[in-house]
Amino acid sequence: MQIDDLTPAEQRVWDAFPRGGDVDFREREDEDPARGADHGPERTIRAQVLRTLLLSAPQVPGETAALRVAGARITGTLTLQYGEIDHAVRLSDCFFEHTPVLYAARLRQLNLRGSVLPGLDAATLRVDGVLRLSDCLFEGPVHLGGAQISGALFLDRAGVGAPPAGRPALQLNHLTVGDGLSAAGLRTRGEVRLTGASVAGTINLTEARLEAGAGEVALDAETLTVEGDVLLREVEVLGWIGLRGSRVTGRLDLSYARLANPGDAALRAGSCTIGELWLRRSEPMEGTLNLRRAQLDVLFLEPEVVPGQVLLDSLVYTSLTPHEPAERRLAMLERDGEGYVPHAYEQLTAAYRRIGDDHAARQVQLAKQRRHRGTLPWYGRMWGYVQDATVGYGFRPLRAAGWLVSLLVIGSLAYALEHPEPLKADEAPPFNPVFYTLDLLLPVISFGQESAFAPTGAHQWLSYALVVTGWILATTVITGITRTVSRQ
């Protein structure tokens, strides 16, 4: 285009560019950029002028050229695809009539803070510095898939409108960020896609509002890699969050979060590797919590946050905090959608043992045996009830002593009132009701009483009962001891 075709507004921008000067068309700093469609020619710049300026404008020796414009209305399509631009670009608080096309472009730095745009097409964009999209309002989808940003990406308080059907609202898949991704207060209507992205710093989505709809994906971050933290504090999410196969070196913080996806999974974090997972200070999520096959160093989980259904098979964690009584933790295991999951009980037992709470660990193991009993055939369940009632599956050995003492008292009193007849009167030792009862109860030890006397009638049936009960108690005690030794 010819330079003499420039309007007065465009001439201001053209003259300021070689020296990196600021051109501010705003009448006041707090004006609303969304009203930019009403701006007249005094604040209007053609996108073709900006393209020519960035790609072929002459330089001034000794000066650093830069495009710094605020409050302008930009008409036409700003097309910079495949372009290499060595200047900083700042188009803040501007109104774009058409979606900028920055596909595969390379820029030193790009700042669109506070601008209003129909969308942004910047797949495979490369920015050698910082990309600022804070406070932007995008009426349509933002496509940054495959982009490489050496510095940080800022999307704080940005808003992204609903995309066409089948497309994500904010596409950041395979994005590479050399620093952090800051998107506190982000508002989206549709899917945010972070699959395969890599962030060297922290992802901050504090107070974000992600609305995709029930049953829809709100945040898809499968195979995401983050060297810092992922902060989802105070977020509100309608739809599901997917983190399958992701790796977060630091903390995944969902404190004060509100997750809602009724009838389906609200958080899908299976097969993840996470330093710390924080689920606290919030209402129970509406939907399933899926942590199958995840590996965590620290699980910070408050019982009040646990939803009505969880999936915990093969979940591995080193530490569980805060410390809670076993009864409050066991309620979570009973909500597993896959029913009885032995591994979940073993993990909880190990967590209590690491902090020296052996009592809680025994309670968990006892609860495990009771859940397992429900999976057995009727005869197995009957035997389980016997073991539970007698010695608590070996985790309550003092109960066996109580049963033995009670039976010893009953038998001793019964046989003291009516002595059984000796088998051989001239060879029988003096009858002792206490040791005779012990002979019946203890299957291994013999005091010579049982073999010398033969009760009759009701006392004979009592002896049978004592013998059977003694064998049951001995078997369950031995089972408990064996289980305890094997755990060591």
Side-chain angles (χ1 to χ4, degrees), residues 398-458:
L398 290 180
R399 184 179 293 180
W403 278 102
L404 286 171
V405 171
S406 299
L407 293 172
L408 178 62
V409 171
I410 293 172
S412 298
L413 290 175
Y415 293 117
L417 294 174
E418 184 177 339
H419 293 188
E421 294 294 329
L423 292 175
K424 296 180 180 181
D426 55 342
E427 298 180 5
F431 180 75
N432 188 306
V434 175
F435 284 96
Y436 180 75
T437 305
L438 283 174
D439 253 354
L440 296 173
L441 285 173
L442 302 179
V444 177
I445 301 175
S446 175
F447 295 100
Q449 292 281 314
E450 180 186 4
S451 60
F453 297 92
T456 59

Side-chain angles (χ1 to χ4, degrees), residues 464-480:
Y464 294 156
L466 292 174
V467 170
V468 172
T469 305
W471 274 104
I472 292 174
L473 288 173
T475 303
T476 51
V477 168
I478 292 172
T479 301

Side-chain angles (χ1 to χ4, degrees), residues 39-72:
H39 295 335
E42 74 283 356
R43 296 180 61 171
T44 300
I45 303 172
R46 288 170 291 174
Q48 184 62 32
V49 173
L50 298 179
R51 170 183 166 82
T52 302
L53 190 64
L54 291 171
L55 296 178
S56 59
Q59 307 294 305
V60 174
E63 299 289 345
T64 301
L67 178 62
R68 295 189 174 95
V69 178

Side-chain angles (χ1 to χ4, degrees), residues 12 40 79 98 130 172 194 197 202 211 238 255 309 350 367 377 402 405 414 425 461:
R12 285 181 60 189
T79 303
H98 300 281
V130 174
L172 304 174
L194 266 167
T202 290
E211 300 180 12
L238 179 58
S255 303
Q309 186 176 72
V405 171
W461 287 105

